[in-house]
């Protein structure tokens, strides 16, 4: 009985940015719970490796090479997932990037790139997947925010705006799609060891030590820390949970 609440067999999940980092951690969790997975990203080599990893877990997995800032490409991606995997039950809007500059140095095209990748892509993917999520009968959308959904940082100009926006976008969709039995939630990762933060650690001096000192758990997060929350928010276990933004941060956001 308990395990059926977390059972994802027969379900299909799209994970944008599922070919590495936090996205791959979540995709692995969903695959271990039985879901078939569409990995969406631009880098074909990374996607092929992720698909091989996921298939080893006994599920179907496909790579759909897509730039999530390209609406036509996203439409083709959604069509291919429905065509090849038959349905869409779960959409994880995880693809993201950052350009680290203070507000007075960031250029408009840089601002647009970050907003398009982190926020507008979630709108486009969700809008285009909505008919299939509704048809699922118990659709789930999981948006990836950040500690920058709550806090600010001098170098996180467009990034913080995008991640604050994604929480409000999550709340709007949760209201709009509750009648369709689609739950929409956000995960707010703390500081996690991935390619993204390897770049940040090179650019922002002292960041590594500051995160360790500021995180009650006393460590950086690992991509495996996202498997459980992804399964919870993708499964019937979370059917009365919608519009929330759940920190997965080792206590970073509650440190006094
Ligand atoms: P990674 O750089 O490891 O992963 C980012 C993923 O996004 C890659 O798989 C990349 O795939 C994909 N991606 C980026 N741009 C595009 C695009 N235009 N179209 C399609 N895919 C794209 O970083 P993380 O795993 O750390 O980040 C994942 C998410 O978690 C992001 O939204 C990030 O903001 C968020 N986050 C991360 C934190 C951390 O500490 N690491 C903290 C808080 C939030 P490809 O290169 O193939 O396109």
């Amino acid at each position: 009985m308990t395990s059926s609440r977390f059972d994802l067999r027969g379900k299909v999940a799209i994970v944008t940015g599922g070919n590495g980092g936090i996205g791959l951690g979540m995709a692995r969790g969903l695959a271990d719970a039985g879901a078939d997975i569409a990995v969406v990203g631009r880098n074909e080599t990374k996607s092929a490796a992720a698909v091989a990893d996921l298939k080893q877990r006994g599920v179907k997995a496909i790579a759909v090479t897509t730039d999530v800032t390209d609406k036509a490409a996203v439409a083709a991606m959604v069509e291919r997932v429905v065509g090849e995997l038959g349905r869409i039950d779960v959409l994880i809007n995880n693809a993201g990037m950052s350009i680290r500059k203070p507000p007075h140095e960031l250029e408009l095209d840089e601002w647009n790139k970050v907003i398009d990748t982190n926020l507008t892509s979630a709108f486009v993917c969700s809008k285009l997947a909505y008919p299939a999520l509704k048809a699922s009968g118990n659709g789930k959308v999981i948006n990836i925010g950040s500690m920058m959904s709550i806090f600010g940082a001098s170098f996180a100009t467009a990034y913080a705006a995008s991640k604050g926006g994604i929480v409000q976008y999550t709340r709007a969709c949760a209201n709009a799609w509750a009648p369709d039995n689609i739950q929409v939630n956000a995960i707010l990762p703390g500081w996690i060891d991935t390619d993204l933060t390897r770049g940040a650690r090179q650019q922002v001096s002292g960041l590594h030590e500051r995160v360790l000192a500021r995180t009650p758990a006393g460590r950086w997060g690992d991509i495996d820390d996202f498997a459980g929350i992804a399964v919870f928010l993708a499964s019937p276990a979370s059917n009365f949970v919608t519009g929330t933004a759940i920190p997965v941060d080792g206590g970073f956001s509650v440190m006094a």
Side-chain angles (χ1 to χ4, degrees), residues 17-23 40-43 46-47 66-69 94-97 117-118 144-147 159 163 189-197 220:
N19 61 12
I22 291 171
V40 171
R42 297 163 301 178
N43 183 317
K46 273 167 55 186
S47 294
T66 311
D67 183 332
V68 293
T69 64
N94 163 79
M97 50 88 64
T117 305
N118 296 3
I144 305 306
S146 163
M147 288 298 100
Y159 187 83
K163 294 300 187 178
W191 288 90
I192 317 304
D193 184 17
T194 67
D195 288 349
L196 187 77
T197 49
W220 281 66

Side-chain angles (χ1 to χ4, degrees), residues 79-231:
E79 199 178 323
R80 193 175 146 205
V81 174
V82 173
E84 285 192 32
L85 298 178
R87 53 192 292 131
I88 301 170
D89 303 281
V90 181
L91 168 65
I92 305 191
N93 290 310
N94 163 79
M97 50 88 64
S98 187
I99 297 174
R100 297 177 194 92
K101 290 186 180 177
H104 49 282
E105 288 178 12
L106 194 74
E107 299 296 339
L108 179 59
D109 62 334
E110 295 172 324
W111 166 275
N112 286 337
K113 186 169 187 195
V114 175
I115 299 290
D116 285 351
T117 305
N118 296 3
L119 181 59
T120 310
S121 72
F123 160 68
V124 171
C125 289
S126 303
K127 179 177 162 66
L128 295 178
Y130 168 71
L133 290 164
K134 184 176 175 182
S136 148
N138 191 190
K140 304 279 187 177
V141 180
I142 304 171
N143 296 320
I144 305 306
S146 163
M147 288 298 100
M148 295 300 146
S149 303
I150 308 171
F151 304 113
S154 60
F155 54 84
T157 306
Y159 187 83
S162 73
K163 294 300 187 178
I166 202 129
V167 169
Q168 289 303 95
Y169 173 67
T170 298
R171 292 175 178 147
C173 294
N175 278 278
W177 296 341
D180 302 315
N181 197 29
I182 299 171
Q183 288 80 47
V184 187
N185 291 288
I187 297 171
L188 311 184
W191 288 90
I192 317 304
D193 184 17
T194 67
D195 288 349
L196 187 77
T197 49
R198 264 166 234 138
R201 270 178 275 184
Q202 278 160 13
Q203 275 184 12
V204 184
S205 79
L207 178 65
H208 180 77
E209 293 72 23
R210 280 213 306 280
V211 168
L212 281 182
R214 174 82 167 70
T215 303
R219 66 173 175 91
W220 281 66
D222 188 79
I223 65 169
D224 294 336
D225 289 318
F226 291 82
I229 187 78
V231 171

